[in-house]
């Protein structure tokens, strides 16, 4: 098996290069159905299908979807939020379902599941992982939860994502592929690498693409050095995509100074675009002029950091979108219902989805009119009477232009991976929890901020907070 590793620093187009190679493999004579493409996103998998000229292929999907199909599982067997809530009630330990990468409210059951999945993904004893964690709840409760969760899945024949990986890594089932492509390889855990090795048996070539500098999911068990280990194990060859089509000189220099604080990494010499771009450091966000017409990505380490900025944008009636966490004021159910109401008032025909949007926020009386298609009765009252809109936001929705197309996007750094913008505003404020984690694993935190900085195509504004991370 020939192994080709492609290191793609920010903006160098590693996924584009992988898709080019997919297309090249097809042109060289390999049957499209015998080319496998494993990605972490459905978007990349869809693009691979397009390059192969296929509408669907069992060999092109996310790694979990591929395991699901190879194991012949049914959707009813997969652990989902509804099943977890039922288990939570049975075992008496709350599970909310929030991600561990942020500071949203989480319950002990969420932390227990994180510990269990991390342990299984890294082949570590759960009790050892618990000891190195923040030790949520009590050890006795954790041990009880661990046994109960395993017994519950066995009793009902349920599989979570880690179960799929574990079973696929041990069973003989694998894709019938001559060439395998693996995108975003820096995010693979040791267990996932074992799955890839199983998939690769019988294949002539495997291409893996990623960037260890952008590995920001070590909290879930990702092996930052997995690409290098896999390449060395199979005597593969490595190459670095050497030109960033995104980063200007100023952002490139600043980001490289940051990432070089890490000693254990694959050194990658790559060049920025020739233009200087702009890099500015601010004491607070109030000194930054924000134009609704600019393509801006406003990044915070956590949702709590973003919330204060969001309140200011709401007060100033600056249109924005939330790309992570709960929907923003321009995209939530109230905004959708009001937009549909205004469309109806303009004499336009509603789509079924728009009728549903009104129904979701309608008063009982308005729902009755809607069921009778009595639009005149609905429009006889202003939207804030016909619709059940919280009193505290009525003034906002009276003023806001919901038909505008917001170009300002708010996101956590984790959720921004793979995205870019002409201008990035990076809020360096951190929570106490993040500060404590950074002290324990400084390299992991450096990678997170590196990813945030390198989303900028032209301008990077760094906002130094009261408890800001030192970039």
């Amino acid at each position: 098996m020939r192994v080709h590793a492609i290191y793609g620093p920010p903006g160098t187009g590693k996924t584009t290069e992988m898709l080019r190679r997919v297309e090249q493999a097809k042109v060289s004579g390999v049957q499209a159905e015998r080319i496998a493409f494993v990605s972490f996103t459905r978007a990349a998998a869809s693009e691979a299908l397009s390059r192969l000229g296929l509408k669907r292929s069992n060999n092109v999907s996310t790694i979990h979807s591929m395991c699901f199909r190879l194991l012949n599982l049914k959707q009813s067997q997969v652990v989902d939020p509804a099943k977890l809530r039922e288990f939570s009630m049975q075992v008496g330990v709350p599970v909310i379902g929030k991600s561990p990468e942020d500071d949203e409210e989480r319950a002990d059951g969420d932390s227990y599941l994180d510990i269990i999945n991390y342990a299984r993904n890294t082949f570590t004893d759960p009790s050892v992982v618990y000891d190195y964690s923040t030790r949520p709840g009590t050890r006795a409760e954790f041990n009880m939860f661990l046994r109960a969760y395993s017994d519950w899945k066995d009793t009902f024949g349920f599989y979570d994502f880690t179960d799929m990986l574990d079973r696929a890594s041990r069973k003989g089932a694998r894709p019938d592929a001559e060439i395998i492509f693996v995108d975003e390889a820096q995010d693979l855990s040791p267990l996932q690498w074992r799955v890839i090795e199983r998939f690769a048996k019988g294949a002539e070539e495997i291409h893996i693409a990623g960037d260890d500098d952008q590995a920001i999911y070590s909290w879930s068990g990702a092996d930052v050095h997995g690409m290098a280990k896999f390449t060395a194990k199979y005597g593969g060859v490595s190459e670095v995509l050497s030109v960033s089509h995104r980063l200007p000189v100023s952002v490139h220099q600043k980001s490289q100074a940051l990432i070089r604080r890490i000693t254990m990494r694959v050194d990658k010499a790559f060049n920025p675009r020739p233009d200087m771009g702009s890099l500015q450091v601010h004491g607070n966000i109030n000194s930054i002029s924000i134009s609704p017409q600019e393509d801006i990505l406003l990044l915070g380490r956590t949702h709590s950091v973003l919330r204060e900025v969001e309140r200011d944008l709401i007060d100033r009636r600056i249109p924005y979108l939330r790309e992570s966490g709960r929907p923003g004021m321009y995209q939530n159910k109230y905004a959708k219902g009001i937009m549909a109401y205004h469309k109806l008032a303009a004499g336009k025909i509603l789509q079924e989805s728009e009728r549903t949007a009104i129904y979701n926020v309608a008063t009982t009386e308005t729902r009755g009119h809607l069921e009778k298609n009595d639009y005149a009765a609905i429009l006889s009252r202003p939207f804030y009477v016909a619709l059940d809109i919280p009193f505290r936001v009525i003034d906002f929705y009276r003023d806001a232009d919901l038909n505008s197309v917001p170009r300002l996007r708010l996101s956590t750094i984790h959720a921004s991976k793979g995205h870019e913008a002409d201008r990035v505003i990076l809020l360096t404020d951190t929570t106490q929890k993040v500060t404590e984690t950074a002290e324990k694993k400084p390299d992991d935190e450096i990678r997170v901020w590196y990813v945030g900085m390198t989303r900028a195509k032209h301008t990077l504004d760094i906002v130094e907070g009261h408890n800001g991370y030192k970039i």
Side-chain angles (χ1 to χ4, degrees):
M1 177 178 64
R2 299 185 298 276
V3 174
H4 304 268
I6 307 163
Y7 286 91
T12 56
K14 64 180 181 298
T15 300
T16 300
E17 172 62 15
M18 285 282 275
L19 293 169
R20 185 191 69 78
R21 294 187 183 198
V22 167
E23 199 166 18
Q24 187 179 49
K26 179 187 174 186
V27 172
S28 70
V30 181
Q31 292 181 355
E33 292 79 5
R34 300 205 68 228
I35 297 173
F37 186 93
V38 180
S39 170
F40 274 81
T41 66
R42 292 188 179 92
S46 296
E47 182 61 27
L49 284 172
S50 176
R51 297 293 181 96
L52 291 170
L54 300 173
K55 290 186 176 180
R56 66 178 301 276
S57 169
N58 287 338
N59 287 344
V60 179
S61 69
T62 63
I63 187 170
H64 289 107
S65 294
M66 193 170 288
C67 291
F68 176 85
R69 284 197 300 269
L70 290 170
L71 295 171
N72 293 315
L73 296 178
K74 299 177 181 178
Q75 195 60 45
S76 60
Q77 295 176 275
V78 178
V79 174
D80 57 24
K83 292 186 180 72
L84 275 178
R85 284 193 293 272
E86 291 178 7
F87 169 72
S88 169
M89 294 177 65
Q90 291 175 19
V91 78
V93 178
V95 175
I96 296 176
K98 296 291 185 180
S99 170
E101 71 193 37
D102 196 35
D103 60 344
E104 297 281 61
E105 181 185 356
R106 308 184 75 235
D108 286 346
D110 297 297
S111 298
Y112 293 160
L113 288 171
D114 296 341
I115 292 168
I116 294 168
N117 287 319
Y118 181 94
R120 297 182 67 198
N121 269 284
T122 58
F123 307 114
T124 310
D125 187 329
S127 62
V128 173
V129 179
Y130 180 85
D131 286 339
Y132 279 98
S133 72
T134 56
R135 298 190 180 189
T138 65
R139 176 181 289 280
E141 185 183 67
F142 171 69
N143 289 335
M144 178 275 293
F145 186 96
L146 176 63
R147 291 190 300 270
Y149 184 58
S150 179
D151 291 344
W152 173 72
K153 289 187 295 180
D154 288 343
T155 299
F156 294 99
F158 292 154
Y159 291 80
D160 60 21
F161 287 154
T162 309
D163 293 322
M164 295 181 202
L165 295 170
D166 180 55
R167 190 173 173 189
S169 72
R170 292 183 286 105
K171 286 181 67 70
R174 61 175 183 264
D176 178 23
E178 187 175 329
I179 301 179
I180 297 177
F181 295 87
V182 182
D183 198 16
E184 300 292 352
Q186 79 278 345
D187 293 328
L188 294 174
S189 68
L191 175 57
Q192 289 169 323
W193 278 114
R194 185 172 289 183
V195 173
I196 296 300
E197 286 188 284
R198 169 67 68 178
F199 286 178
K201 286 186 177 181
E204 296 180 8
E205 288 183 30
I206 181 167
H207 298 252
I208 57 176
D211 180 13
D212 57 310
D213 291 337
Q214 298 182 74
I216 59 175
Y217 293 103
S218 59
W219 53 262
S220 65
D223 185 354
V224 174
H225 307 295
M227 278 185 67
K229 293 175 185 175
F230 187 86
T231 306
K233 180 177 180 178
Y234 291 97
V237 294
S238 300
E239 64 177 281
V240 177
L241 301 180
S242 60
V243 179
S244 177
H245 307 288
R246 177 193 304 157
L247 303 183
V249 173
S250 57
V251 177
H252 178 268
Q253 290 176 343
K254 185 71 172 177
S255 63
Q256 292 309 293
L258 175 66
I259 201 65
R260 287 186 182 124
R261 295 183 197 172
I262 299 175
T263 53
M264 292 293 292
R265 55 179 288 270
V266 177
D267 191 31
K268 295 169 281 294
F270 75 107
N271 299 312
R273 298 198 330 257
D275 57 298
M276 279 300 297
S278 174
L279 189 149
Q280 300 181 61
V281 179
H282 308 264
N284 61 72
I285 196 170
N286 294 329
S287 65
I288 301 177
S289 176
I290 298 177
S291 169
Q293 284 72 45
E294 275 190 287
D295 175 30
I296 300 176
L297 189 55
L298 197 155
L299 299 178
R301 181 62 177 82
T302 60
H303 285 300
S304 62
V305 170
L306 291 172
R307 275 194 286 270
E308 185 174 345
V309 177
E310 184 178 10
R311 283 193 289 269
D312 183 60
L313 294 173
I314 292 169
D315 290 342
R316 294 163 62 186
R317 305 300 193 255
I318 296 177
Y320 71 95
L321 294 176
R322 285 290 300 259
E323 291 199 336
S324 62
R326 57 175 175 74
M329 294 286 280
Y330 287 80
Q331 61 199 128
N332 62 20
K333 64 179 182 178
Y334 301 116
K336 292 176 181 178
I338 293 168
M339 288 174 68
Y341 174 95
H342 288 322
K343 181 176 178 179
L344 188 63
K348 298 179 181 178
I349 299 175
L350 297 183
Q351 302 293 324
E352 188 58 36
S353 60
E354 292 167 324
R355 281 175 53 91
T356 301
I358 290 178
Y359 190 87
N360 287 340
V361 294
T363 63
T364 302
E365 184 177 352
T366 297
R367 286 183 176 181
H369 294 316
L370 194 63
E371 289 166 358
K372 298 174 183 177
N373 293 324
D374 189 354
Y375 297 141
I378 295 174
L379 296 174
S380 66
R381 298 176 299 168
F383 76 85
Y384 50 85
V385 177
L387 306 179
D388 190 12
I389 307 297
F391 181 77
R392 67 182 184 279
V393 298
I394 288 177
D395 284 345
F396 170 82
Y397 284 119
R398 277 173 166 168
D399 301 338
D401 179 9
L402 297 179
N403 291 317
S404 62
V405 180
R407 302 200 69 203
L408 171 62
R409 294 165 285 152
L410 273 60
S411 174
T412 61
I413 298 174
H414 279 89
S416 74
K417 194 172 180 184
H419 297 184
E420 61 183 15
D422 291 339
R423 183 181 188 183
V424 167
I425 301 174
L426 188 61
L427 309 176
T428 64
D429 271 326
T430 60
T431 61
Q432 185 61 35
K433 177 183 175 183
V434 170
T435 300
E436 293 171 358
T437 302
E439 290 174 354
K440 294 178 182 177
K441 298 181 178 180
D443 288 357
D444 289 351
E445 195 62 20
I446 287 172
R447 293 186 187 96
V448 173
W449 292 102
Y450 177 73
V451 166
M453 294 172 70
T454 56
R455 303 307 94 196
K457 294 167 62 178
H458 297 293
T459 302
L460 174 62
D461 292 292
I462 299 173
V463 181
E464 296 182 331
H466 299 297
N467 187 34
Y469 184 81
K470 302 303 178 184
I471 294 178

